[in-house]
Amino acid sequence: GYKPTIKPHARQIRAAAKMISESKRPVLYVGGGVTLARAHEELAAFVEKTHIPVVTTLMARGVFPDSHELNMGMPGMHGTVAAVGALQKSDLIIALGTRFDDRVTGKLDSFAPEAKIIHADIDPAEIGKNKAVDIPIVGDVKQTLTQLNEAIEAYEKPEADAWRRLLASMKARYQPRWEEAPDGRLSPQEVIQRIGQLSPSDSIYVAGVGQHQMWSAHFLPHEKPAH
């Protein structure tokens, strides 16, 4: 009996495109819904059109390649400085297939205090549940991105050069790293990173919940979705 709304409303798409074009510090907050919808190509096309920086949650690692200069990494309590800074300092968050969980937001009243929010999700119960939303978009995120890619053509891309430079400097300065073991033993992070360097590009990695899961999120290569 579950019949979700698949097709996003055209009026909401147009409103989102206009708000995106007017922003100065936009960021794409990308969740596991984009992976599930197999919408990575549409996401890549949207970033190519708009040059908006991207943060990817744990469930979305790889849906946008880490090697891309606009990928700021994973946000939240276990995230990168650049990803957390991108959300906190933004004036517009475009949330795609994600749910504003507390590991990303921390205290809600201090999360992204200056940002307007566009939230696209197939589950209407998630929109506005944790954070008030300026433009809600209910529908399949692959279709949402397809329509946004079309609608954004009518507008100029955001004038966000200074914003991109700021985030690039944060990304370069605050790369994830670890302390070397004093007795010369290998650290878990170094082992995980080396496994990623030696493994084929189509490898699929599995980690249980815990600290090693967070290290894997930072030190394995995330270039493809659902890996």
Side-chain angles (χ1 to χ4, degrees):
Y2 179 55
K3 297 178 180 179
T5 297
I6 301 297
K7 185 178 180 180
H9 199 289
R11 184 177 59 200
Q12 300 299 87
I13 294 289
R14 290 194 300 270
K18 184 176 186 293
M19 183 176 285
I20 290 166
S21 72
E22 294 171 349
S23 63
K24 302 296 184 185
R25 302 187 307 279
V27 60
L28 282 155
Y29 165 35
V30 178
V34 178
T35 305
L36 292 171
R38 296 175 175 83
H40 54 284
E41 292 181 354
E42 291 78 8
L43 174 64
F46 187 73
V47 176
E48 183 68 23
K49 289 174 185 287
T50 62
H51 298 173
I52 295 175
V54 178
V55 303
T56 56
T57 68
L58 181 65
M59 299 301 291
R61 302 295 286 123
V63 78
F64 189 73
D66 282 357
S67 57
H68 198 290
E69 63 180 357
L70 290 175
N71 191 329
M72 298 298 119
M74 187 174 72
M77 63 188 292
H78 297 290
T80 66
V81 172
V84 173
L87 290 174
Q88 286 300 104
K89 295 178 180 294
S90 66
D91 67 354
L92 176 64
I93 293 173
I94 305 120
L96 303 170
T98 191
R99 58 192 179 90
F100 290 87
D101 66 275
D102 58 359
R103 293 198 178 196
V104 169
T105 66
K107 291 179 64 177
L108 284 167
D109 58 1
S110 60
F111 174 73
E114 298 179 11
K116 294 180 179 179
I117 295 176
I118 299 166
H119 191 178
D121 203 287
I122 199 167
D123 183 359
E126 291 294 344
I127 297 177
K129 182 179 76 174
N130 293 329
K131 188 74 175 174
V133 172
D134 295 276
I135 299 178
I137 303 175
V138 179
D140 175 76
V141 73
K142 189 180 183 80
Q143 291 196 31
T144 296
L145 279 165
T146 297
Q147 292 191 26
L148 272 175
N149 276 319
E150 295 172 357
I152 205 72
E153 294 286 356
Y155 298 92
E156 297 291 331
K157 68 182 180 183
E159 296 178 7
D161 289 347
W163 172 237
R164 285 187 288 270
R165 287 195 298 269
L166 171 64
L167 295 183
S169 68
M170 292 173 66
K171 181 179 178 180
R173 183 174 182 180
Y174 299 108
Q175 285 289 323
R177 58 184 183 270
W178 62 83
E179 299 291 335
E180 297 291 342
D183 55 5
R185 289 183 296 178
L186 294 174
S187 67
Q189 298 98 310
E190 185 177 2
V191 172
I192 289 170
Q193 184 181 72
R194 192 66 180 136
I195 287 171
Q197 291 169 344
L198 294 172
S199 299
S201 62
D202 60 350
S203 297
I204 292 176
Y205 301 97
V206 181
V209 176
Q211 182 64 67
H212 57 292
Q213 180 189 33
M214 297 300 112
W215 290 330
S216 297
H218 288 298
F219 297 112
L220 286 175
H222 296 280
E223 296 295 310
K224 297 181 179 180
H227 279 250

